[in-house]
Amino acid sequence: MMSGRELLAKWGLPQLAGNGRFVSANIMDSLGNGLVLAFTVVYFTTTTPLSLGAIGAALSAGQFLALPVPVVAGTLIDRFGPRKVVVAANIVSALGFSAFLAADTVWKIIAAQFVVQAGSSGYWTSSRALVLLAARSNDEARWFGFISALRNIGGGFGVAVASIAIAWGSSGVRALVVVNALTFVIAAALMAAWRPVSEQDAPAHGSRSAEGGGYGAVLRDLRYMRLVVANVPFVLAASVLPVLLAVYVTEVLDADAWLVGACVVGNMVLVALVQTLVARVIERRRPARVLALAGVVNAVSFAVFGLLPALPGALVAVGLLLATAVFTLAEMLSLPPSGELSTSLAPERIRGRYLGVFQLSWTLGNAIAPALLTMLLGHGPAWPWMVLITLNLLAVPLVLSLGPGDPAPEDGARPEPSAAALLAEEGTTP
C-alpha cells in the first residue's frame, strides 16, 4: 500500500520537510493578494468622495511610479539575500495598506498605492530565488508548481472573504484593510523565522556580488534577454482573465455575467488542484520546450476565444468554458518552466539583478495590458485575440533558442549537466 509521502510525491508535491514556515508565508501572501484584487477600487469608491475616474488614475499613477522597484530589489537580493528582501517587502506592503485608511485625496492614494506596489514588486522579484532555497536536488519545477497552486488557493479564499466584507459597506472594507495589512505582517514574521539549509550553507551574499558584474552584465547576456522579451507575451496572456474577459463576455458575446465568475473560479480551482501534477509530468522535460508548448497552447485558447462570436447562442457558454480550460492548461504549463529558466540561466553571484530584469517584464506587461487589450477590443472583437495569438507564437522560437536551460556558468566554468539534461542529449527526454 502506498504511503502518504509516496502519494504526495505522485501528485507532484516537493519535499516539504523543514519548509513549513516558507509554505505558510506563501499562503498568507496569496491571501493578502487575493484581498487586494477584489477590493482596491471598491474600497476607495466606498470611503472617499472621489470619482471613479480620479481613483483609477491615482491607482495607475502609483503603480507606474513603482515600475523601477525590481531594479532596486535585484541589487538588494544580491547584497542581503532573497529571504531578507521578502521580509522587508512584506512589511512595506503592510505599511502601504495601513496608509489606505488615511488616503482620502488623489495624492494620498497615489502615495499609498506606490508603497503597496513597491512591496509587491520587491516580493515578486525575490520569490523565484526563494524557491531555490527551499528546493532540493532537481525538484525546482515541483516547487514552482506547488507555490502556484498555493497562491491560487489563498487568492481564491481572499476573493471570497473580500466579497463578504464588501457587502457590509464602509465598515466592512475598512476592516478588510486592517486584516489585509496583518496578513503581510504575519507573512513577514514567518519568513523571518524560516531558516533554509541552503541559505545557511551559502557564502555571504555581499562578498559574491562585490566581485563584479551588474545590470550591464545582465543586458549583455543576450540569452537571458531573449527570455525576458519572450516572457512579455505570457504576461499579456495572463492579463486576459482579470482585464479582458468580463467586458468581452458581457458586451461582445452579450452573455450572462455569471459565466465570467464561472470561468475565473474554474481557472483557480484547476490550478489549485492540478498544477502540482502537471509540474510532476513536465519536470524531466526541457524547460524551454515546455514553455514553447505553453505558447502554442495559449494561441489555441485565444483562437477559441476569438471564434466565440460566430457560435450560436446555445454553444457560447460551452465554447467559453472550453477556451478557459485550454487557457488554464497553458498557464499550468508555463509557470514552472518560466520560473526555472529565470533562475537557472542567471549566474548565482548576481542572480538578484537578473531576477530584477526578469520581473520588469511582468511589471511592464501588467502596466500596459489594460490599455493595450481594451484599445484592441475597441477596434473590433477579433483584434485582441489575433494580437495575442501572434505574440505568443512569436515567443516560441525565442524560447526554443534558449537551449536546454542548463545553469549559467560562474566565472567562466562550465557547470555539470543535470541528469535530465544528459538524458535529453541522448534522446530519452522529449
Side-chain angles (χ1 to χ4, degrees), residues 86-427:
V86 164
V87 171
N90 279 324
I91 293 173
V92 170
S93 292
L95 292 173
F97 283 109
S98 298
F100 273 24
L101 296 171
D104 54 2
T105 62
V106 168
W107 74 266
K108 289 181 181 179
I109 294 175
I110 293 174
Q113 177 72 348
F114 165 74
V115 176
V116 165
Q117 287 300 315
S120 178
S121 294
Y123 170 81
W124 287 110
T125 305
S126 310
S127 62
R128 298 174 187 88
L130 285 177
V131 169
L132 296 186
L133 294 181
R136 302 180 183 183
S137 62
N138 292 321
D139 68 344
E140 288 93 345
R142 291 192 178 208
W143 268 105
F144 281 115
F146 177 59
I147 295 301
S148 175
L150 280 183
R151 288 170 182 160
N152 273 267
I153 294 171
F157 184 72
V159 169
V161 171
S163 300
I164 296 172
I166 289 170
W168 294 346
S170 177
S171 60
V173 293
R174 288 185 186 278
L176 196 59
V177 167
V178 176
V179 172
N180 200 37
L182 286 176
T183 64
F184 289 103
V185 172
I186 296 171
L190 288 167
M191 197 65 71
W194 177 47
R195 292 292 184 271
V197 175
S198 55
E199 185 184 60
Q200 297 170 20
D201 295 339
H205 288 269
S207 62
R208 280 203 313 268
S209 61
E211 293 175 1
Y215 281 106
V218 184
L219 297 177
R220 290 192 297 271
D221 189 340
L222 298 184
R223 186 188 189 193
Y224 199 84
M225 293 308 298
R226 290 200 299 274
L227 172 65
V228 172
V229 173
N231 192 54
V232 174
F234 290 97
V235 176
L236 295 175
S239 300
V240 164
L241 291 190
V243 173
L244 191 61
L245 186 65
V247 65
Y248 184 71
V249 169
T250 57
E251 295 189 12
V252 175
L253 301 180
D254 197 24
D256 294 333
W258 68 265
L259 281 171
V260 180
C263 291
V264 173
V265 172
N267 170 267
M268 283 187 172
V269 170
L270 280 175
V271 174
L273 295 179
V274 186
Q275 177 69 82
T276 56
L277 184 60
V278 172
R280 183 182 73 81
V281 171
I282 66 176
E283 66 181 342
R284 295 190 181 278
R285 272 65 178 176
R286 292 182 177 182
R289 289 187 178 181
V290 177
L291 190 57
L293 175 61
V296 174
V297 177
N298 258 337
V300 172
S301 74
F302 298 142
V304 178
F305 275 118
L307 291 173
L308 292 179
L311 295 179
L315 294 179
V316 168
V318 176
L320 184 62
L321 294 175
L322 174 62
T324 304
V326 178
F327 172 87
T328 303
L329 174 61
E331 179 183 354
M332 291 189 290
L333 287 172
S334 68
L335 290 174
S338 173
E340 193 174 351
L341 287 168
S342 70
T343 55
S344 66
L345 297 182
E348 185 180 1
R349 62 188 175 86
I350 53 171
R351 180 175 286 146
R353 290 172 173 84
Y354 272 74
L355 293 176
V357 172
F358 185 77
Q359 182 61 29
L360 281 176
S361 67
W362 278 97
T363 55
L364 289 173
N366 284 329
I368 66 175
L372 175 64
L373 295 179
T374 54
M375 178 197 70
L376 290 171
L377 187 62
H379 283 80
W383 275 101
W385 310 116
M386 290 191 297
V387 171
L388 286 169
I389 290 170
T390 302
L391 291 176
N392 276 265
L393 291 180
L394 287 175
V396 171
L398 273 178
V399 170
L400 291 176
S401 73
L402 301 176
D406 294 329
E410 289 286 346
D411 299 325
R414 181 184 179 87
E416 290 296 325
S418 65
L422 289 173
L423 290 173
E425 290 299 324
E426 294 172 5

